[in-house]
Amino acid sequence: MDPSAIGNDCKNNNCIDNLIAAKKSLMLSLEKSKALGLALEKAGPRLEEINQRLPSLEAAVRPIRADKDALAAVGGHINRAVGPAAAVLKVFDAVHGLEKSLLSDPRNDLPGYLSVLKRLEEALRFLGDNCGLAIQWLEDIIEYLEDNTVADRRYLSNLKKSLKGLRELQNDGERIHLDGGLLDAALDKLENEFRRQLMEHSVPLPMSSPSLGEQACIAPSPLPVTVIKKLQAILGRLIPNNRLEKCIAIYVEVRGSNVRASLRALDLDYLEISVSEFNDVQSIEGYIGQWGKHLEFAVKHLFEAEFKLCNDVFERIGLDVWMGCFAKIAAQAGILAFLQFGKTVTESKKDPIKLLKLLDIFSSLNKLRLDFNRLFGGAACIEIQNLTRDLIKSVIDGAAEIFWQLFVQVEIQRQSPPPQDGSVLRLVSFITDYCNKLLSDDYKPILTQVLVIHRSWKHEKFQERILVNEVLKIMKAIDLNLETWVKAYEDATLSYLFAMNNHWHLYKHLKGSRLGELMGDSWLREHEQCKEYYSTVFLRESWGKLPGHLSREGLILFSGGRATARDLVKKRLKTFNEAFDEMYKKQSGWVISERDLREKTCQLIVQTVLPVYRSYMQNYGPLVEQDASSSKYAKYTVQGLEQMLLSLFLPRRERYGSFKGRPTSGKFDNGVDLRRTASAVV
């Protein structure tokens, strides 16, 4: 082989090796460049992060450049500020720890619940007292750091904004910012428990009967002692948190509803009657009797119990509070309706019966006077006091006015005509029974007290016998009325019957009575003698004339013969029948009111007429009985005649089986109505 060729081959080989080496070097450099590029790419974010952290690092390093004395003092300032703040935060954590207990139901453990609530209140008081102090300390340290350039301005600015927000929350005074509304939620639960305790143990008082029967004077407390203590404990937590008014509202609502439920069983719808719904007191006098019993029951059993209970529950708070609470219960439960009903009665039209009912109302109120003064004497019950005073004044004024008008109105009635049936005048029976009532133990003391009070209001002295003297005047007026009415009859016989009727009524009904004792025995005997006198005159002047028509003259010896005797008998029987029919027809409409007098009078008439008629018919009846027209003359049998006479003078209700009152003018000119039967005052 040519050496030059070999040298060229070697030279070529070296070039290839160099190229390969250069290639490898370039590849390595390329890899390193890629690696460096990746490294630079990764370093960018880190540099950015470092750039962002430089200000904080600068701030951290700044204290090194701060004044040495400032750096030395900052530690103490920070410790003093952080201490209160740390205590506040610790209490905040404790508050949050109470949340579970306070959101549970208080009924499960009321004492425990109240204890936890008390801890919450103490914690909130601590926060309220110390949050401001902690904020002040933090504001002071920020001011110090700012003045001495110890901290970064942006950092301090953020802190100042946060503290400003805390200060604003603290200054607005809303507790909810301290506990997140936990205390209000707990208090709401306590209010609900207060209501639940009341409702579960408030049971309407059971009624034994509508008439109430015999009840104890004072009702026991309607709530157990344990419940009262629970209510007091609940109030002890609610009142300091301004929940007293809400508690009173709940108490009044529940207890007032309970009293109303008790009264509802008494059927008190009549309390809503207005003046326009009845014409006179007699139409509602039954309600007035119930009213007195119901009012006494309500006061002595229901309101007395509520009075005691209000005192038991609210006594620690003060007299004004529990008296005000009781006043609201009484007003809402219906005491005002009771008083208004009495006022309605006083506003009805004047009527003698109304006097008795007004005295009944006064008696009921007077028996409850001490109870009213004790229960409703406080300033909170001013509405009840005013209505009670108005009612009492209206009752006394109305009763006195009617009483003093009685004599005047009896005199006025003298001008009215007497009854056409000769019966006892209703005015006579009414006034006698009425005055007996006024003189009875039930009414005389009450009426005397009313007249004493009424005269004292007018600054007039009350005379001891003024009531008795007035009754005497009224009865003397009745006597004078009777004399006048007797003379007013055109038919003298009817006047005798009327006089007999009324004199006997006065004697019979007043003998042994209070009014009879007042009038005296001589007065009673006078009326008895008058009755006997008029009875004799009545019989003589009416039925006593009938036997004279059955004369035997000319019939004893039959001097004129049988035909003549028959004619005389016919004539005399005809005259007798006509006189009898006329008298019977006229007197069949007359009335003798008293049964004993009626029966005695009828027997006297029978004894006067029947023996003569029987004897006459036995002796001379056969003369006309065989005649074709005998029925015209022998018109009545002895038995038939007796039955007719014994049926005379019956009152209409006995005669026809029913009674319809005779319309009479019995109304006083001033509106006082005397059209009443005696039963109206019995």
Side-chain angles (χ1 to χ4, degrees), residues 139 142 146 155-165:
E139 288 175 341
I142 290 174
E146 190 175 37
Y155 176 72
L156 294 177
S157 177
N158 291 335
L159 283 177
K160 288 170 71 175
K161 289 180 181 179
S162 298
L163 290 177
K164 182 180 179 182

Side-chain angles (χ1 to χ4, degrees), residues 22-63:
K23 179 182 178 183
K24 290 180 179 180
S25 178
L26 288 172
M27 292 293 291
L28 184 60
S29 297
L30 184 59
E31 291 294 332
K32 289 181 177 180
S33 297
K34 288 181 179 180
L36 182 60
L38 291 173
L40 290 174
E41 186 178 353
K42 293 179 179 180
R46 294 182 61 194
L47 291 174
E48 182 63 28
E49 182 181 355
I50 292 171
N51 185 51
Q52 291 177 356
R53 293 178 61 188
L54 283 176
S56 60
L57 292 174
E58 180 184 5
V61 175
R62 185 174 292 113

Side-chain angles (χ1 to χ4, degrees), residues 23-24 57 73 77 154 180 183 197 207 234 245 251 302 382 409 437 552 567 569 586 604 649:
K23 179 182 178 183
K24 290 180 179 180
L57 292 174
H77 284 292
R154 287 181 294 176
L183 180 59
Q197 289 285 346
M207 305 300 167
I234 293 173
E245 290 302 320
Y251 187 91
L302 300 179
I382 188 66
Q409 300 308 325
K437 280 285 185 180
R552 297 172 181 259
D567 290 340
V569 171
K586 179 171 67 172
L604 288 174
F649 312 123

Side-chain angles (χ1 to χ4, degrees), residues 113-152:
Y113 191 92
L114 294 173
S115 176
V116 174
L117 180 59
K118 185 176 181 180
R119 287 166 55 194
L120 174 62
E121 293 179 70
E122 292 172 350
L124 293 178
R125 280 196 295 272
F126 176 85
L127 293 176
D129 295 340
N130 292 279
C131 278
L133 180 62
I135 293 172
Q136 184 62 54
W137 279 103
L138 292 174
E139 288 175 341
D140 290 346
I141 189 59
I142 290 174
E143 182 178 354
Y144 180 85
L145 294 175
E146 190 175 37
D147 291 344
N148 293 277
T149 322
V150 176
D152 180 58

Side-chain angles (χ1 to χ4, degrees), residues 350-483:
K350 288 177 287 186
D351 182 311
I353 295 298
K354 181 178 175 179
L355 171 57
L356 300 179
K357 297 308 157 186
L358 291 178
L359 294 178
D360 288 339
I361 291 175
F362 180 83
S363 176
S364 296
L365 293 173
N366 194 48
K367 284 193 297 184
L368 297 173
R369 180 169 54 86
L370 295 179
D371 298 285
F372 262 73
N373 291 340
R374 180 169 50 84
L375 298 179
F376 309 116
C381 297
I382 188 66
E383 183 180 7
I384 298 174
Q385 295 168 22
N386 290 338
L387 190 53
T388 303
R389 278 194 293 269
D390 289 345
L391 173 57
I392 292 174
K393 186 177 187 308
S394 298
V395 166
I396 291 176
D397 286 342
E401 180 183 4
I402 294 174
F403 177 73
W404 294 120
Q405 279 291 318
L406 285 174
F407 171 73
V408 176
Q409 300 308 325
V410 169
E411 286 194 318
I412 291 175
Q413 291 297 303
R414 194 173 300 153
Q415 308 304 320
S416 62
Q420 295 304 306
D421 58 7
S423 61
V424 175
L425 198 72
R426 293 190 180 187
L427 176 66
V428 174
S429 60
F430 176 83
I431 287 295
T432 52
D433 288 340
Y434 191 76
C435 288
N436 253 327
K437 280 285 185 180
L438 295 181
L439 293 173
S440 68
D441 291 336
D442 291 335
Y443 286 108
K444 184 179 179 181
I446 303 170
L447 180 56
T448 301
Q449 187 177 359
V450 165
L451 295 177
V452 169
I453 296 172
H454 188 259
R455 289 212 158 217
S456 69
W457 289 348
K458 299 169 66 175
H459 304 289
E460 297 176 358
K461 186 177 180 180
F462 179 81
Q463 299 175 358
E464 187 65 30
R465 285 182 57 85
I466 193 169
L467 172 58
V468 169
N469 291 338
E470 191 67 18
V471 172
L472 287 172
K473 283 174 58 179
I474 292 171
M475 292 308 298
K476 288 179 180 178
I478 288 291
D479 281 341
L480 187 55
N481 283 14
L482 284 178
E483 294 178 14

Side-chain angles (χ1 to χ4, degrees), residues 616-677:
Y616 195 84
M617 292 303 293
Q618 285 176 347
N619 292 322
Y620 308 113
L623 292 175
V624 297
E625 286 175 355
Q626 297 176 355
D627 194 284
S629 58
S630 62
S631 60
K632 290 174 57 178
Y633 307 105
K635 188 174 182 179
Y636 300 106
T637 64
V638 173
Q639 293 79 6
L641 196 66
E642 182 181 16
Q643 186 176 359
M644 291 176 68
L645 292 175
L646 292 176
S647 67
L648 282 169
F649 312 123
L650 289 172
R652 287 182 178 84
R653 60 179 176 272
E654 295 183 32
R655 191 180 308 160
Y656 303 117
S658 64
F659 177 74
K660 294 183 179 179
R662 171 180 51 84
T664 61
S665 176
K667 191 171 183 180
F668 286 175
D669 289 347
N670 70 342
V672 179
D673 194 351
L674 276 178
R675 289 179 293 182
R676 297 290 176 269
T677 62

